[in-house]
């Protein structure tokens, strides 16, 4: 009896260890095939499956006939996506919209369809494929793959530029209001949104602050698509064409760099911040709207974004100390960091 009792704890420990190893194996093998999820997601988004399900559940055969796809293969892709909560399959084999599928519709104000297409585009996909080269060389291989840096590739009026701009507009639309509410803008004066895309954030700020004026500073190709023609901000805005790396318009009370600094190298950040410093007055404020990485308990989303920054760009997600260092070197000083309800923070700076 004593021998049997002495063996039981050892057997239980071995069983627990075996279960841990089996779980680890499943995790690693599943992660090794993780690239199939964005591939499947791209199929569904490009085929417009979320939009095709708005009227109600449909079978893969019905969806495939309408989208020009192979029915049985589409079924297998949609079933796979359903395991991740994108779509739901019922007992009759029809697929339904889920919350994750809803945000992939093209006709909702919170749509992330364009970002999903950008993040699964070859510009990102091929760069990720060669992450090992990036880690070895200490610089993104995007230029090597496509012949030019990403921001040159998405300049102008071509398909990459339209995709990139649409994706950034969609991302901005999901966060504009909460960010604008997280900072106390002055009662009057001029806000200059630097490289502010098509102007969605500036429009939101002006609409919430009826005595402010605004300037959207961007490249000509982007400004042609601006979205400032809104009665709520009529007569209080203008657009100015320019390049952040060359100069920044003077005369602003508040300068905004939203999602700009995090995808730039330190050298490029200093060049941009230096230009801001030259344009700013003694009472001007600079708002850097980016993630601020905490010292401990770093959110998984910030870690994911940080790897994206080194894969496709030359940037990184920075801590408050790293922002302070950048600002100091550029002749600016960090005043405070304002949290927002989302993943971004507002780092406020003034002339040092």
């Amino acid at each position: 009896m004593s021998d049997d009792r002495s063996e039981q704890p050892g057997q239980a420990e071995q069983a627990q260890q075996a279960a841990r190893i089996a779980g680890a194996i499943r995790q690693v093998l599943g992660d090794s095939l993780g690239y199939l999820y964005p591939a499947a997601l791209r199929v569904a988004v490009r085929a417009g499956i979320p939009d095709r399900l708005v009227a109600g559940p449909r079978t893969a055969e019905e969806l495939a006939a309408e989208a020009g796809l192979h029915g049985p293969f589409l079924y297998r892709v949609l079933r796979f996506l359903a395991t991740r909560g994108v779509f739901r399959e019922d007992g009759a084999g029809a697929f339904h919209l889920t919350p994750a599928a809803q945000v992939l519709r093209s006709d909702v104000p919170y749509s992330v369809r364009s970002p999903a297409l950008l993040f699964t585009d070859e510009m990102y996909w091929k760069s990720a494929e060669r992450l090992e080269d990036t880690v070895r060389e200490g610089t993104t291989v995007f230029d090597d793959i496509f012949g030019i840096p990403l921001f040159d590739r998405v300049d102008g009026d071509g398909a990459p530029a339209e995709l990139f701009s649409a994706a950034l507009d969609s991302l901005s639309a999901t966060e504009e209001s909460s960010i604008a509410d997280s900072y106390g803008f002055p009662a009057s004066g001029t806000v200059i949104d630097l490289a502010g895309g098509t102007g969605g954030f500036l429009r939101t700020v002006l609409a919430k602050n009826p005595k402010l004026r605004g300037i959207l500073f961007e490249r000509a190709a982007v400004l042609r698509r601006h979205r400032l023609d809104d009665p709520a901000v009529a007569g209080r805005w203008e657009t100015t064409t320019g390049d952040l790396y060359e100069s920044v318009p003077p005369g602003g009370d508040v300068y905004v760099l939203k999602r700009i600094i995090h995808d730039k190298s330190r050298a490029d950040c200093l060049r941009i911040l230096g230009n801001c410093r030259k344009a700013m007055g003694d009472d001007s404020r600079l708002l850097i709207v980016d993630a601020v990485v905490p010292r401990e308990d770093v959110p998984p989303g910030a870690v994911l974004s940080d790897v994206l920054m080194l894969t496709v760009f030359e940037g990184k997600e920075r801590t408050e100390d790293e922002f302070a260092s950048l600002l100091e070197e550029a002749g600016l000083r960090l005043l405070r960091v304002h949290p927002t309800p989302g993943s971004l923070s507002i780092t406020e700076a003034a002339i040092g």
Side-chain angles (χ1 to χ4, degrees):
M1 295 291 292
S2 60
D3 290 342
D4 290 343
R5 284 196 299 271
S6 65
E7 291 176 358
Q8 288 175 0
Q11 291 173 346
E13 184 177 342
Q14 289 176 4
Q16 291 174 356
Q17 183 179 13
R20 288 194 295 269
I21 292 173
I25 289 172
R26 287 194 297 271
Q27 175 188 335
V28 171
L29 292 181
D31 289 347
S32 300
L33 292 169
Y35 58 86
L36 292 174
Y37 174 63
L41 190 66
R42 184 173 179 82
V43 170
V45 173
R46 282 177 55 83
I49 301 302
D51 288 340
R52 299 180 193 280
L53 292 176
V54 171
R58 304 176 69 185
T59 67
E61 287 290 346
E62 294 171 331
L63 293 166
E66 193 170 278
L69 300 174
H70 186 278
F73 279 21
L74 178 61
Y75 169 76
R76 291 158 68 178
V77 168
L78 297 182
R79 180 180 62 177
F80 171 49
L81 290 172
T83 68
R84 303 289 292 266
V86 182
F87 310 118
R88 176 178 66 82
E89 183 184 7
D90 63 26
F95 289 92
H96 300 241
L97 287 172
T98 62
Q102 287 280 4
V103 301
L104 291 170
R105 289 170 51 185
S106 63
D107 59 346
V108 293
Y110 46 79
S111 174
V112 291
R113 180 182 185 275
S114 292
L117 288 174
L118 175 65
F119 295 156
T120 58
D121 185 77
E122 66 171 358
M123 290 188 290
Y124 285 59
W125 190 278
K126 290 183 177 180
S127 298
E129 180 185 20
R130 290 185 53 186
L131 180 57
E132 183 178 356
D133 293 335
T134 293
V135 174
R136 180 182 298 108
E137 300 298 329
T139 184
T140 178
V141 296
F142 189 97
D143 303 22
D144 182 48
I145 297 170
F146 296 101
I148 53 175
L150 180 136
F151 288 110
D152 289 342
R153 183 174 172 83
V154 299
D155 197 7
D157 296 309
E162 292 179 7
L163 174 61
F164 193 78
S165 179
L168 294 189
D169 284 349
S170 293
L171 282 176
S172 187
T174 66
E175 62 196 16
E176 289 164 355
S177 183
S178 61
I179 292 173
D181 288 337
S182 298
Y183 180 76
F185 286 90
S188 61
T190 300
V191 176
I192 302 180
D193 195 355
L194 303 170
T198 56
F201 181 65
L202 180 60
R203 182 186 60 191
T204 300
V205 169
L206 296 182
K208 291 176 178 288
N209 299 273
K211 293 185 179 180
L212 281 179
R213 298 186 61 82
I215 297 174
L216 179 61
F217 180 73
E218 252 294 2
R219 294 163 294 148
V222 179
L223 288 179
R224 286 195 288 270
R225 301 191 293 271
H226 79 76
R227 297 183 290 131
L228 291 169
D229 288 321
D230 184 333
V233 300
R236 293 191 288 123
W237 59 269
E238 62 183 278
T239 63
T240 300
T241 302
D243 184 343
L244 275 176
Y245 291 103
E246 300 300 327
S247 65
V248 167
D253 297 286
V254 179
Y255 289 83
V256 178
L257 288 169
K258 181 172 176 289
R259 290 189 180 272
I260 301 297
I261 294 299
H262 76 145
D263 56 27
K264 305 293 188 297
S265 67
R266 184 176 182 87
D268 284 346
C269 287
L270 290 173
R271 187 175 175 183
I272 292 169
L273 293 173
N275 287 336
C276 292
R277 169 66 180 81
K278 293 175 185 176
M280 293 169 64
D282 291 340
D283 297 324
S284 298
R285 294 292 183 263
L286 172 65
L287 308 183
I288 300 174
V289 185
D290 269 325
V292 176
V293 181
R295 294 183 179 87
E296 299 178 351
D297 300 323
V298 181
V303 177
L304 174 65
S305 181
D306 187 54
V307 174
L308 175 62
M309 291 305 106
L310 69 88
T311 303
V312 181
F313 307 93
E314 294 285 2
K316 64 177 297 186
E317 301 296 354
R318 295 176 168 88
T319 64
E320 182 175 338
D321 288 343
E322 288 173 318
F323 275 114
S325 174
L326 275 175
L327 290 166
E328 182 179 6
E329 190 169 345
L332 300 163
R333 59 188 170 93
L334 191 154
L335 298 178
R336 61 189 64 86
V337 175
H338 305 263
T340 77
S343 62
L344 304 183
S345 295
I346 303 171
T347 299
E348 182 181 8
I351 292 178

